[in-house]
Amino acid sequence: MAVAERLLVIGGGPAGLEAARGAADLNRPVLLVEARDTLGGTPWESYATLTPHLKPTKEIMAGMLTAVEDHPLVDVRLSTRVVAREGEAGRFLVTLEAADGSRQVEEVGAVVVATGFQHFDPGRETQMYGYYEYDDVITLVDAERMMQAGKVVRPSNGEPPARVAFIQCVGSRDRHIGNKYCSKVCCGIASKQSIEIKHLLPDAKVFIFYIDMRMYGFWEDQLYWRAQEEHKVNYIRGIVTEVIKKGDQLLLKGEDTTMGRPMEVLMDLVILSVGMEPSAGTLEMARVFEIPREEHGFLATVGEPLDTVTTPVAGVFVAGAAAGPKDLEDSVSMGGAAAMKAVGLLSRMSRTPA
Ligand SMILES: Cc1cc2nc3c(=O)[nH]c(=O)nc-3n(C[C@H](O)[C@H](O)[C@H](O)COP(=O)(O)OP(=O)(O)OC[C@H]3O[C@@H](n4cnc5c(N)ncnc54)[C@H](O)[C@@H]3O)c2cc1C
Ligand code: SF4
């Protein structure tokens, strides 16, 4: 079998961009397929600023996009999905479908799936926080939109909130809804947003209600301590079980687990720290490439912790949040590792044809 030279990267978020650029820099032609009409993935679409430096997402990520868009070896197809595949490692035939419904079959040697995650829907099942009932209950993603506009207000009346609460672990670490994992980034993102709210509204009181704070590596120092010491954000160990309307405010009911007593507090704005679930595109790629899913629903890999990108399907690699909750550092590192493994495989196969 003649080994196809090209690498297919599916998903143009941080992980896919790094995989595409890495493989192309190793002199491998790359076909990059992205379902949306722009590259950049979830951060580009949804987040105003990024941890740990709180700099604008578009400023930080622009170079990643142009490195791929301007690379002579990367063929970018926007508004396109992979809908079918045949063949095996060394020669896959993939069917691409464009937004207008037209289809095209392309030959590629190996594949990197980087189709990412979606935010947990806080209206689902056991969630008692009134996201779809109360205007002033929003998510981290809604708050990022406000940050983008440079204005944090109560959606119900357009006024700045005097008291803001974050509720952590919404849709994560919750066996009742089947998400038995920590989403890894939301403690850091809530801390980042609390600092940004205090910048915009210095007189507001900001509270973060948590089961336990999970900060990784330098985020502890860059976000958690900074939020408390420089910005006087209040971290309260407690479980919020219910949010109800009281007058024109929101009453949070639950338990203060440090004090071991029931808790009821009034807030003007509640921000739900929603976690990560596999995206619809990730589930679709599991089906198309017959990639098994690990017990939490993300794409399975073999060889962890030493190999985070090789799936059980020969010639198919995964990078980023398609394989589980990841921050940007993880996602970009995995993109590079997946590119290297895929290029290595194709080089080995070309040297020793079957
Ligand atoms: C609220 C929130 C805020 C966050 N903020 C930060 C932060 O400040 N710093 C940080 O380090 N991390 C942050 N993260 C985590 C960060 O968003 C992820 O680490 C990162 O987006 C993962 O990159 P990815 O490329 O794997 O996936 P994504 O960013 O989700 O990109 C996946 C891409 O694949 C495309 N796609 C999906 N399906 C298909 C398909 N079938 N065909 C083609 N394309 C497809 C999508 O359109 C998308 O462009 C945050 C997460 C959340 C939940
Ligand atoms: S990172 Fe924090 S908020 Fe997110 S799931 Fe883990 S413990 Fe909960």
CSV table of all heavy atoms in Angstrom, one decimal, residues 9 19 30 40 69 101 113 126 135 138 166 170 193 207 216 250 266 270 282-283 311 315 319 322 345 347:
chain,number,residue,atom,x,y,z
A,9,VAL,N,-6.1,16.9,10.2
A,9,VAL,CA,-6.4,17.4,11.6
A,9,VAL,C,-7.9,17.9,11.6
A,9,VAL,O,-8.3,18.7,10.8
A,9,VAL,CB,-5.5,18.6,12.0
A,9,VAL,CG1,-5.9,19.2,13.3
A,9,VAL,CG2,-4.0,18.2,12.0
A,19,ALA,N,-1.3,21.2,16.4
A,19,ALA,CA,-1.0,19.9,15.7
A,19,ALA,C,-0.8,20.3,14.2
A,19,ALA,O,0.2,19.7,13.6
A,19,ALA,CB,-2.2,19.0,15.8
A,30,VAL,N,-0.7,19.2,5.5
A,30,VAL,CA,-1.8,19.0,6.4
A,30,VAL,C,-3.1,19.5,5.8
A,30,VAL,O,-3.2,20.6,5.2
A,30,VAL,CB,-1.5,19.8,7.7
A,30,VAL,CG1,-2.7,19.7,8.7
A,30,VAL,CG2,-0.3,19.3,8.4
A,40,GLY,N,-9.8,28.9,15.8
A,40,GLY,CA,-9.6,29.4,17.1
A,40,GLY,C,-10.3,28.6,18.2
A,40,GLY,O,-10.0,28.8,19.4
A,69,GLU,N,-2.9,29.7,9.0
A,69,GLU,CA,-3.6,30.2,7.7
A,69,GLU,C,-2.5,30.6,6.7
A,69,GLU,O,-2.7,30.4,5.5
A,69,GLU,CB,-4.3,31.5,8.1
A,69,GLU,CG,-5.7,31.2,8.8
A,69,GLU,CD,-6.3,32.4,9.5
A,69,GLU,OE1,-5.5,33.4,9.8
A,69,GLU,OE2,-7.4,32.3,9.8
A,101,GLY,N,-23.6,21.3,1.8
A,101,GLY,CA,-24.1,20.0,1.6
A,101,GLY,C,-23.2,19.2,0.6
A,101,GLY,O,-23.3,18.0,0.4
A,113,VAL,N,-7.6,13.9,15.9
A,113,VAL,CA,-8.9,14.4,16.2
A,113,VAL,C,-8.7,15.5,17.4
A,113,VAL,O,-8.2,15.1,18.4
A,113,VAL,CB,-9.8,13.3,16.7
A,113,VAL,CG1,-11.2,13.8,17.1
A,113,VAL,CG2,-10.0,12.2,15.6
A,126,THR,N,-30.6,17.4,37.5
A,126,THR,CA,-30.6,17.7,39.0
A,126,THR,C,-30.2,19.1,39.3
A,126,THR,O,-30.1,19.5,40.4
A,126,THR,CB,-29.7,16.8,39.8
A,126,THR,OG1,-28.4,16.9,39.3
A,126,THR,CG2,-30.2,15.3,39.7
A,135,ASP,N,-33.1,35.7,35.2
A,135,ASP,CA,-32.1,36.4,34.3
A,135,ASP,C,-30.8,36.6,35.0
A,135,ASP,O,-29.8,36.6,34.3
A,135,ASP,CB,-32.7,37.8,34.0
A,135,ASP,CG,-33.9,37.7,33.1
A,135,ASP,OD1,-34.1,36.7,32.5
A,135,ASP,OD2,-34.7,38.7,33.1
A,138,ILE,N,-26.3,33.4,35.6
A,138,ILE,CA,-25.6,33.2,34.3
A,138,ILE,C,-24.5,32.2,34.5
A,138,ILE,O,-24.3,31.7,35.6
A,138,ILE,CB,-25.1,34.6,33.8
A,138,ILE,CG1,-24.0,35.1,34.8
A,138,ILE,CG2,-26.2,35.6,33.7
A,138,ILE,CD1,-23.3,36.4,34.3
A,166,PHE,N,-20.1,33.1,42.8
A,166,PHE,CA,-19.8,32.0,41.9
A,166,PHE,C,-20.2,30.7,42.6
A,166,PHE,O,-19.9,30.6,43.8
A,166,PHE,CB,-18.3,32.0,41.6
A,166,PHE,CG,-17.8,33.1,40.7
A,166,PHE,CD1,-17.5,34.3,41.2
A,166,PHE,CD2,-17.7,32.9,39.3
A,166,PHE,CE1,-17.0,35.3,40.4
A,166,PHE,CE2,-17.2,33.9,38.5
A,166,PHE,CZ,-16.9,35.1,39.0
A,170,VAL,N,-20.4,23.1,38.8
A,170,VAL,CA,-21.8,22.9,38.2
A,170,VAL,C,-21.6,22.0,37.0
A,170,VAL,O,-21.0,22.3,36.0
A,170,VAL,CB,-22.4,24.2,37.8
A,170,VAL,CG1,-23.7,24.0,37.1
A,170,VAL,CG2,-22.6,25.1,39.0
A,193,GLN,N,-12.2,35.5,36.8
A,193,GLN,CA,-13.3,36.4,36.6
A,193,GLN,C,-13.6,37.3,37.9
A,193,GLN,O,-14.0,38.4,37.8
A,193,GLN,CB,-14.6,35.7,36.2
A,193,GLN,CG,-14.5,35.1,34.8
A,193,GLN,CD,-15.8,34.5,34.3
A,193,GLN,OE1,-16.8,34.5,35.0
A,193,GLN,NE2,-15.8,34.0,33.1
A,207,PHE,N,-18.1,36.5,46.0
A,207,PHE,CA,-18.0,35.3,46.8
A,207,PHE,C,-17.8,34.1,45.9
A,207,PHE,O,-18.5,34.1,44.8
A,207,PHE,CB,-19.3,35.1,47.7
A,207,PHE,CG,-19.6,36.2,48.6
A,207,PHE,CD1,-20.3,37.3,48.1
A,207,PHE,CD2,-19.3,36.2,49.9
A,207,PHE,CE1,-20.6,38.4,48.9
A,207,PHE,CE2,-19.6,37.3,50.8
A,207,PHE,CZ,-20.3,38.4,50.3
A,216,TYR,N,-4.2,24.4,39.9
A,216,TYR,CA,-3.0,23.6,39.5
A,216,TYR,C,-1.8,24.4,39.3
A,216,TYR,O,-1.9,25.5,38.7
A,216,TYR,CB,-3.4,22.9,38.1
A,216,TYR,CG,-4.5,21.9,38.3
A,216,TYR,CD1,-5.8,22.3,38.2
A,216,TYR,CD2,-4.2,20.6,38.6
A,216,TYR,CE1,-6.8,21.4,38.5
A,216,TYR,CE2,-5.2,19.7,38.9
A,216,TYR,CZ,-6.5,20.1,38.8
A,216,TYR,OH,-7.5,19.2,39.0
A,250,LEU,N,-31.5,37.2,44.6
A,250,LEU,CA,-31.5,35.8,44.5
A,250,LEU,C,-31.0,35.3,45.9
A,250,LEU,O,-30.0,35.7,46.4
A,250,LEU,CB,-30.5,35.3,43.4
A,250,LEU,CG,-30.9,35.7,42.0
A,250,LEU,CD1,-29.7,35.6,41.1
A,250,LEU,CD2,-32.0,34.8,41.5
A,266,LEU,N,-28.1,36.4,50.3
A,266,LEU,CA,-28.8,37.1,49.2
A,266,LEU,C,-27.7,37.6,48.2
A,266,LEU,O,-26.7,38.1,48.7
A,266,LEU,CB,-29.6,38.3,49.7
A,266,LEU,CG,-31.0,37.9,50.3
A,266,LEU,CD1,-31.5,39.1,51.0
A,266,LEU,CD2,-31.9,37.5,49.2
A,270,VAL,N,-25.6,35.7,40.1
A,270,VAL,CA,-25.0,34.4,40.4
A,270,VAL,C,-24.3,33.8,39.1
A,270,VAL,O,-25.0,33.8,38.0
A,270,VAL,CB,-26.1,33.4,40.9
A,270,VAL,CG1,-25.5,32.0,41.0
A,270,VAL,CG2,-26.6,33.8,42.2
A,282,THR,N,-17.0,15.7,18.9
A,282,THR,CA,-16.1,14.7,19.5
A,282,THR,C,-16.9,13.3,19.5
A,282,THR,O,-16.3,12.3,19.1
A,282,THR,CB,-15.7,15.1,20.9
A,282,THR,OG1,-14.8,16.2,20.8
A,282,THR,CG2,-15.0,13.9,21.6
A,283,LEU,N,-18.1,13.4,19.9
A,283,LEU,CA,-18.9,12.1,19.8
A,283,LEU,C,-19.1,11.6,18.4
A,283,LEU,O,-19.1,10.4,18.1
A,283,LEU,CB,-20.3,12.4,20.5
A,283,LEU,CG,-20.3,12.9,21.9
A,283,LEU,CD1,-21.7,13.0,22.5
A,283,LEU,CD2,-19.4,12.0,22.8
A,311,THR,N,-4.8,6.9,20.2
A,311,THR,CA,-6.0,6.2,20.5
A,311,THR,C,-5.8,4.7,20.2
A,311,THR,O,-4.9,4.3,19.5
A,311,THR,CB,-7.2,6.7,19.6
A,311,THR,OG1,-7.0,6.2,18.3
A,311,THR,CG2,-7.2,8.2,19.6
A,315,GLY,N,-3.3,4.8,13.6
A,315,GLY,CA,-3.3,5.9,12.7
A,315,GLY,C,-4.1,7.1,13.1
A,315,GLY,O,-4.1,8.1,12.5
A,319,ALA,N,-6.0,15.1,20.4
A,319,ALA,CA,-5.4,16.1,21.2
A,319,ALA,C,-6.4,17.0,21.8
A,319,ALA,O,-7.5,17.3,21.2
A,319,ALA,CB,-4.5,16.9,20.2
A,322,ALA,N,-10.9,16.9,23.6
A,322,ALA,CA,-11.7,15.8,23.1
A,322,ALA,C,-11.3,14.5,23.9
A,322,ALA,O,-12.1,13.6,24.0
A,322,ALA,CB,-11.3,15.5,21.6
A,345,LEU,N,4.7,8.2,12.7
A,345,LEU,CA,4.1,6.9,12.2
A,345,LEU,C,4.2,6.9,10.7
A,345,LEU,O,4.6,5.9,10.1
A,345,LEU,CB,2.7,6.9,12.6
A,345,LEU,CG,1.9,5.7,12.0
A,345,LEU,CD1,2.2,4.4,12.7
A,345,LEU,CD2,0.3,6.0,12.1
A,347,SER,N,6.2,8.5,8.6
A,347,SER,CA,7.6,8.3,8.2
A,347,SER,C,8.0,6.9,8.3
A,347,SER,O,8.6,6.3,7.4
A,347,SER,CB,8.5,9.2,9.0
A,347,SER,OG,8.1,10.6,8.9
